[in-house]
Amino acid sequence: MKHSWFAIVAVTGIVLGILSIPTTVAPVAANAESADVQDDAFTLHGGAARVTDTTASDDSVARVANTGLGWNIQYRRADFSALVTDQPYEVSFRVKVEHAVASPSGDAFSVGAYDGTAGQHLLPNRTISAASTADDTWAEYSIGIYVPTASANTISFYVASGDNASQISTVSVDSLSFTPYKPYVIEDDDFVLYNGVQRQHEPTAADGSVARLENGSTPSWDVQADVDGDAIDADTAYTVTAAIRMERTDYLGSSGEMFTMGVYDATAGVHLIPPHTFESPRDDENAKYNFVWTVALPSSVELDPTHVNRVFFAKVDNAAEYPAVLVDQVTLSRAATSDALPQQVSAYPYQISAGSSAGINDGTTISFSVPGTQTTTVRILDGSNNVVRTLLTDAAVTEAGSAYWDGEDGAGAPVGAGTYTARVSYGSTTRDVSFRSVQGVTLATAPDLHPEEEFPLGVWYEGAIIPKNVTDATAYTDTTFADIAASGANDVIISNFDVTRPAVTSAILDQAAEHGLTVVVNPRWWDVIYSDPMNSDEFAMQARVQAIVDQLKPKSAFGGYLLYDEPPHANDKLRETIGKLKKLVETADPDHAVMVDLSGVHSADKYFSELGLQAMTSDPYGALWGKPAGDYTDLGYPGIDYEVLLDFLHLQTKKDISSSAPFWTILQAFEQPGWYRDPSDAEIRSMTYEAIGHGAKGFHYFMYQATNAWNGMIDPDGNHTARYDIIEQMFAELSELRPVIQSMTRVANIATASGGGGGDGAYASADVTTHVDHETGDLYLVVVNHDVEDAADVTITIDADAVGAPISSVSDAASGTAVTAVRSGSQLVIADLPFAPGEGRIVKLSTSAPDLVGEDADFTVTGTATTEAADTSAGDGSTALEPVATGVTARNVRWNWDAQDLEPGASYDVYADVKVRFAHDITYDANDYPTIFRPSSPALTLGIYDGTAGAAVTSPVSVTGSALENQLWRTVKVGTFIPSPTADEYVYVASTGNAADYATIHVDRFTFVKTPTP
């Protein structure tokens, strides 16, 4: 066995001496559920020796005379990756002692775990009294609960003599064991029930049953869970939790006292935790969940195993609000400690894959604290204590600092695999933390999926309500999925999906397939997302992801992964973790889309592009509590209303012009008192059509079941609510409009409306947006009546010069009925179109083909302009683009047409399809409030130029930012003229050189349309 050697400092007066550190230990198998380390792996000091003992498990022990206080028997290790990452293990030594007297007193020995790298205890020193031992008898002595991480700090698990040889003469150690720790659970089957309390079936309970305690005026302890003394340890603190579900009379309004819970020592006749009455919403805002969830008593407790201890539940006098509490199980848990405990210097992640550039743990952040202000140096050392890289040199640090190491040495080369140490030095103080560099996981390239071809019509579904056993889960999902399919839905997003029961997972997805539904799953993988050890060990993370993917991927009804619902935008660490998770999921399953539900401006801004999500999924709810009907303004951001937010969400899908990622919205169809008011049918309709207008291509309604403070399409008893009917109607309309909606590409608006205002003055007129069908050239206007209480007549005025082609007819897209439109100069007017309250309509403008088209492949470009850049929003899938450079205004994008393609002597109107990427999408003030960036300065100049004569043919046209919408195409009329059959004429688009406001300009095509005869 190989060893390395180093000196250990004195701790609390105990000299540890010179210790050997095994770098490899054979007894621990990879990913071991448990491990036993025999005495031959121990390091021995202070006279300790390995001797033969046939009563030991391997016929030998480490034995030491009980003199002195040294940590004379140790197991030291810096690599625990062979154990299961983030699995709590109970760590215990198998020890026997030799009594020097019949009834020894004082201390026998002590056990503990010490982090030699960090210089602090990992598990506290535990002293074993001589009186608690039996002479020459083996017993297990627990050090505590340890959670192995990917840390490379050197940990010493030790047995120390008690310096009490007159009472205990020798201490022998056989082995050290790592045993998976499972909390002590008392199921309802073992409860003691009084006064008629009965057990009953509860599908969401872990074992399918609960004890039902009816509330009432007498606060009797009618449900008691007796604690088995053999299942607990003395002098050990336990947290006490209970899995419960509340019955409530009003699933939205029930409040007040729910039940009482406490811990009682019946032998001593004292409360260990006094009766605690849980109230809603004071103690638990989740009281209205219609599934079992966990509550915790407010303090931990130590119990005497020789006493009769009981966890009790008592009724409260509030049956009018909460008729009963359903108790599933009681759990007593010991605290667990990992080597990720707070330290004066720490590293995250603890394990890196230097040089992989995969975006998963490529480097680590060294965080440290110092007293006051210190001149600080941070170096990276290799296993031989050589300096690999200096991250900080004599930097002034006050109280706390950090430095990032990218896994490269001073020459910029990735370091090799091995153990590395970050050394933080200030004054005469040195602090270390160690971590490993490994060969990382192999990732697949991002899959080329096309979710834009889908048209999801679905509901948000609470997965925690699904029963925990196959029979009940099959029956529940058969009923609910049949009901959802009958509404016209084709898709279900299941949140809080329990992936710990593969048979139940299979049954759920089989039922979805039976009813023709696709299921997007939001798994409960909190153990991946919120675990630093798991996030530091990409192999463990990959294995966990693969286990989940293996359940879901083969199922025909499975449609994709929702990694997270509404991640907080300010948590950079969480965003990095979700990014890792996305890459691992895409590697394990390249056939299904990966999404994150992004709520609001901040998270959409920070997540979508950075993570490269395959679809924008968001829930921009418009009907806020206290707002008038139809008022969807001020959604937590001043100046950002429902429509502006929809635009911003849609914009995220357009920033990468080569991406075809669709925007799928989750629509409000629920009430949450104090936050969101119950939208009327007309509001649900108007919010749906506004989502269509502002770029959505998929539609889900939140939510299907009633739970917590949310109502749904069905009530807690499974009966339809009024929302079911309106959502059923919306699915029918959306299904009929599917070909139209999927053919539409959002472009800059060319129409205005009068009439149709609403929201108690919040909106002056109806909402109008413009779209194009690139296949046919037809335009669509989505018009929504903002008045959700009364019918309205809406007049629509269209800028005909912004169409770019002759309009041959106007019709209703849904019915095909002709719509009267009157030309007035350069305007086309649709007068007094009737709308029901909140109604949305799609108006089709059929166009004739232009006489001549110049695509970007035909353009001449100069400077930094290029052609044929992939752009999924362009008519032919590609565009010319030019990065805006300060002061550069040259005509770098132009088209020289062939005069032979035009009628000699005829007059033509010339149009350009252009768009601009603004320099910013959004700006934030000092309080982190966002403002949509809307420049008004000149952005583009367009014109027709005669290269032969060196003169403009028409007056240049200036287009300002206020006439454009970020990343949306706009057709601009360049001019009217009679082309020369011989001159070198061209049409051009030029930047104004204003890089402060604009990033790139794009040109899709130029068109010629013969000028209409007056």
Side-chain angles (χ1 to χ4, degrees):
M1 180 175 296
K2 297 180 180 178
H3 295 77
S4 55
W5 300 84
F6 70 101
I8 291 292
V9 299
V11 180
T12 62
I14 303 173
V15 178
L16 306 187
I18 304 297
L19 306 177
S20 61
I21 311 166
T23 56
T24 59
V25 177
V28 181
N31 293 318
E33 286 296 331
S34 62
D36 290 327
V37 181
Q38 296 298 328
D39 58 284
D40 62 351
F42 297 166
T43 55
L44 307 177
H45 308 279
R50 189 165 180 254
V51 299
T52 300
D53 186 332
T54 58
T55 68
S57 59
D58 62 347
D59 293 333
S60 68
V61 298
R63 181 170 294 161
V64 66
N66 198 20
T67 56
L69 295 172
W71 299 355
N72 292 324
I73 300 174
Q74 300 188 33
Y75 174 70
R76 296 179 57 81
R77 191 176 179 91
D79 181 3
F80 291 89
S81 59
L83 297 174
V84 177
T85 298
D86 214 23
Q87 161 70 55
Y89 287 87
E90 181 158 19
V91 185
S92 58
F93 279 104
R94 188 170 188 253
V95 181
K96 73 175 180 178
V97 297
E98 182 180 356
H99 288 187
V101 296
S103 300
S105 60
D107 296 339
F109 60 93
S110 62
V111 294
Y114 186 77
D115 185 330
T117 305
Q120 63 189 71
H121 265 90
L122 176 66
L123 297 171
N125 185 79
R126 180 189 175 201
T127 299
I128 310 301
S129 67
S132 68
T133 65
D135 186 28
D136 201 28
T137 302
W138 291 110
E140 295 286 337
Y141 294 92
S142 175
I143 305 175
I145 310 301
Y146 168 60
V147 181
T149 70
S151 168
N153 283 9
T154 301
I155 311 299
S156 172
F157 298 91
Y158 64 84
V159 176
S161 7
D163 195 21
N164 191 16
S166 66
Q167 304 294 308
I168 302 291
S169 57
T170 62
V171 179
S172 301
V173 184
D174 180 19
S175 60
L176 171 69
S177 63
F178 294 82
T179 305
Y181 172 71
K182 297 186 183 301
Y184 170 43
V185 177
I186 309 171
E187 291 288 356
D188 61 286
D189 289 349
D190 296 320
F191 293 170
V192 181
L193 309 179
Y194 299 93
N195 297 322
V197 173
Q198 300 291 320
R199 293 183 185 86
Q200 67 179 39
H201 182 60
E202 170 51 51
T204 67
D207 62 350
S209 66
V210 293
R212 183 178 184 272
L213 173 61
E214 293 185 1
N215 277 324
S217 58
T218 303
S220 54
W221 302 358
D222 289 343
V223 175
Q224 298 183 25
D226 285 356
V227 178
D228 182 354
D230 292 335
I232 60 172
D233 295 319
D235 305 319
T236 301
Y238 289 89
T239 58
V240 182
T241 61
I244 64 110
R245 174 182 169 185
M246 296 307 303
E247 290 184 4
R248 67 264 200 241
T249 54
D250 183 345
Y251 67 92
L252 288 178
S254 289
S255 62
E257 294 184 348
M258 298 186 292
F259 65 96
T260 295
M261 179 181 173
V263 180
Y264 186 72
D265 184 332
T267 303
V270 295
H271 281 101
L272 301 178
I273 298 180
H276 177 81
T277 299
F278 287 85
E279 295 184 19
S280 171
R282 186 197 71 186
D283 289 281
D284 203 323
E285 295 182 354
N286 300 325
K288 300 178 185 67
Y289 280 147
N290 53 349
F291 51 84
V292 169
W293 87 99
T294 300
V295 297
L297 284 172
S299 60
S300 61
V301 63
E302 291 187 11
L303 303 99
D304 186 334
T306 66
H307 287 196
V308 176
N309 299 293
R310 291 171 178 153
V311 180
F312 63 85
F313 297 84
K315 60 183 66 176
V316 295
D317 191 10
N318 193 23
E321 298 286 331
Y322 295 105
V325 56
L326 311 179
V327 187
D328 176 26
Q329 59 183 212
V330 170
T331 302
L332 281 71
S333 304
R334 293 170 58 184
T337 302
S338 78
D339 46 357
L341 77 172
Q343 300 168 351
Q344 289 182 309
V345 57
S346 61
Y348 178 82
Y350 328 123
Q351 180 170 281
I352 67 172
S353 48
S356 70
S357 301
I360 297 183
N361 300 345
D362 297 335
T364 187
T365 297
I366 313 302
S367 301
F368 53 90
S369 60
V370 297
T373 299
Q374 300 288 338
T375 301
T376 306
T377 297
V378 180
R379 297 184 177 92
I380 303 297
L381 312 177
D382 63 17
S384 300
N385 265 0
N386 299 311
V387 176
V388 173
R389 178 91 169 268
T390 299
L391 304 180
L392 290 178
T393 303
D394 294 336
V397 176
T398 300
E399 295 186 351
S402 65
Y404 180 76
W405 183 44
D406 58 8
E408 295 180 352
D409 61 20
V415 300
T419 299
Y420 295 83
T421 298
R423 177 159 295 168
V424 179
S425 305
Y426 55 90
S428 60
T429 301
T430 298
R431 303 288 185 189
D432 291 349
V433 64
S434 297
F435 45 89
R436 277 184 298 278
S437 177
V438 299
Q439 181 68 41
V441 300
T442 300
L443 298 177
T445 57
D448 183 22
L449 301 177
H450 293 278
E452 76 279 1
E453 297 172 0
E454 302 170 18
F455 191 70
L457 302 177
V459 297
W460 189 278
Y461 184 105
E462 178 52 68
I465 300 177
I466 298 174
K468 304 299 185 185
N469 65 81
V470 171
T471 301
D472 287 337
T474 300
Y476 181 79
T477 52
D478 179 37
T479 299
T480 53
F481 287 171
D483 189 49
I484 291 168
S487 73
N490 58 31
D491 197 77
V492 180
I493 297 175
I494 303 183
S495 65
N496 298 314
F497 194 102
D498 186 355
V499 289
T500 64
R501 304 167 189 269
V504 175
T505 296
S506 180
I508 294 168
L509 293 171
D510 286 347
Q511 283 302 310
E514 183 73 21
H515 295 286
L517 296 174
T518 297
V519 174
V520 174
V521 169
N522 169 221
R524 283 182 179 172
W525 35 29
W526 309 126
D527 58 331
V528 176
I529 291 175
Y530 288 113
S531 165
D532 281 358
M534 185 72 74
N535 273 275
S536 292
D537 186 346
E538 56 197 87
F539 298 100
M541 198 175 184
Q542 184 182 50
R544 176 69 173 129
V545 166
Q546 188 67 58
I548 294 173
V549 167
D550 287 345
Q551 293 184 52
L552 303 173
K553 180 182 177 181
K555 293 295 186 177
S556 62
F558 178 61
Y561 304 86
L562 185 68
L563 298 186
Y564 202 101
D565 177 28
E566 300 183 355
H569 72 276
N571 191 331
D572 293 339
K573 184 176 179 180
L574 175 62
R575 187 166 64 254
E576 178 186 348
T577 296
I578 295 174
K580 297 178 193 177
L581 189 59
K582 173 182 178 288
K583 293 177 181 180
L584 292 171
V585 171
E586 288 177 338
T587 295
D589 183 1
D591 300 325
H592 293 97
V594 177
M595 295 160 279
V596 177
D597 177 31
L598 302 174
S599 176
V601 169
H602 289 88
S603 59
D605 181 38
K606 291 182 179 292
Y607 271 85
F608 186 80
S609 296
E610 183 176 324
L611 268 61
L613 296 172
Q614 296 154 1
M616 165 58 76
T617 307
S618 184
D619 46 7
Y621 303 141
L624 272 62
W625 194 262
K627 289 282 189 178
D631 182 352
Y632 311 143
T633 60
D634 193 18
L635 304 186
Y637 310 104
I640 297 181
D641 65 7
Y642 179 64
E643 294 153 10
V644 173
L645 179 54
L646 287 169
D647 282 342
F648 184 78
L649 296 169
H650 175 257
L651 169 63
Q652 305 314 303
T653 69
K654 301 303 175 187
K655 292 193 313 191
D656 177 0
I657 62 173
S658 65
S659 170
S660 57
F663 169 29
W664 294 339
T665 186
I666 300 165
L667 295 155
Q668 182 183 350
F670 71 97
E671 174 187 11
Q672 183 177 1
W675 291 91
Y676 300 101
R677 59 178 172 75
D678 196 2
S680 67
D681 288 1
E683 287 182 303
I684 291 174
R685 182 181 298 278
S686 69
M687 286 189 285
T688 301
Y689 273 88
E690 287 187 52
I692 296 171
H694 292 266
K697 303 292 186 182
F699 309 88
H700 295 84
Y701 291 90
F702 188 97
M703 60 181 302
Y704 177 67
Q705 307 107 314
T707 187
N708 195 283
W710 306 309
N711 50 24
M713 293 171 66
I714 60 173
D715 65 21
D717 297 320
N719 302 312
H720 288 175
T721 66
R723 288 163 202 82
Y724 187 97
D725 293 336
I726 181 59
I727 292 171
E728 183 178 33
Q729 293 175 35
M730 296 315 306
F731 284 151
E733 293 180 27
L734 290 166
S735 295
E736 183 180 359
L737 287 168
R738 174 177 181 170
V740 173
I741 295 172
Q742 286 195 292
S743 73
M744 299 190 317
T745 297
R746 176 86 192 281
V747 295
N749 197 28
I750 65 169
T752 59
S754 60
D760 197 21
Y763 301 100
S765 61
D767 183 50
V768 184
T769 54
T770 306
H771 308 253
V772 64
D773 180 344
H774 282 308
E775 290 294 324
T776 64
D778 298 332
L779 295 178
Y780 294 93
L781 304 177
V782 180
V783 187
V784 186
N785 181 15
H786 271 134
D787 193 334
V788 298
E789 297 179 302
D790 296 303
D793 291 334
V794 178
T795 294
I796 305 163
T797 302
I798 302 162
D799 179 1
D801 282 347
V803 174
I807 298 174
S808 56
S809 64
V810 180
S811 60
D812 183 284
S815 65
T817 304
V819 173
T820 301
V822 178
R823 184 70 181 247
S824 176
S826 62
Q827 297 179 336
L828 189 67
V829 179
I830 302 171
D832 297 330
L833 196 63
F835 283 78
E839 183 182 8
R841 299 177 66 171
I842 302 180
V843 177
K844 179 180 180 180
L845 309 179
S846 299
T847 62
S848 301
D851 295 287
L852 184 62
V853 177
E855 298 287 1
D856 64 287
D858 304 320
F859 298 169
T860 299
V861 293
T862 55
T864 58
T866 59
T867 61
E868 298 185 86
D871 187 335
T872 58
S873 70
D876 62 347
S878 67
T879 179
L881 66 83
E882 179 184 6
V884 176
T886 300
V888 176
T889 60
R891 298 186 289 269
N892 287 331
V893 179
R894 57 183 183 264
W895 177 47
N896 299 77
W897 61 88
D898 188 341
Q900 295 182 6
D901 294 330
L902 298 173
E903 180 181 329
S907 176
Y908 288 89
D909 297 331
V910 181
Y911 300 91
D913 289 350
V914 297
K915 70 176 179 181
V916 173
R917 170 72 187 273
F918 294 170
H920 311 281
D921 304 326
I922 198 166
T923 58
Y924 297 94
D925 66 14
N927 296 316
D928 204 30
Y929 280 111
T931 300
I932 304 299
F933 186 67
R934 296 185 178 95
S936 58
S937 59
L940 301 170
T941 302
L942 303 90
I944 302 170
Y945 194 80
D946 185 338
T948 303
V953 177
T954 61
S955 297
V957 175
S958 177
V959 180
T960 64
S962 55
L964 299 168
E965 297 179 55
N966 198 1
Q967 285 290 83
L968 296 185
W969 292 106
R970 182 173 188 83
T971 300
V972 177
K973 186 175 182 179
V974 182
T976 301
F977 80 122
I978 300 174
S980 167
T982 58
D984 179 24
E985 295 175 331
Y986 59 85
V987 57
Y988 67 86
V989 177
S991 164
T992 59
N994 183 2
D997 287 345
Y998 308 105
T1000 54
I1001 65 172
H1002 304 252
V1003 186
D1004 182 17
R1005 65 176 192 168
F1006 296 102
T1007 57
F1008 281 63
V1009 177
K1010 191 176 291 185
T1011 306
T1013 303

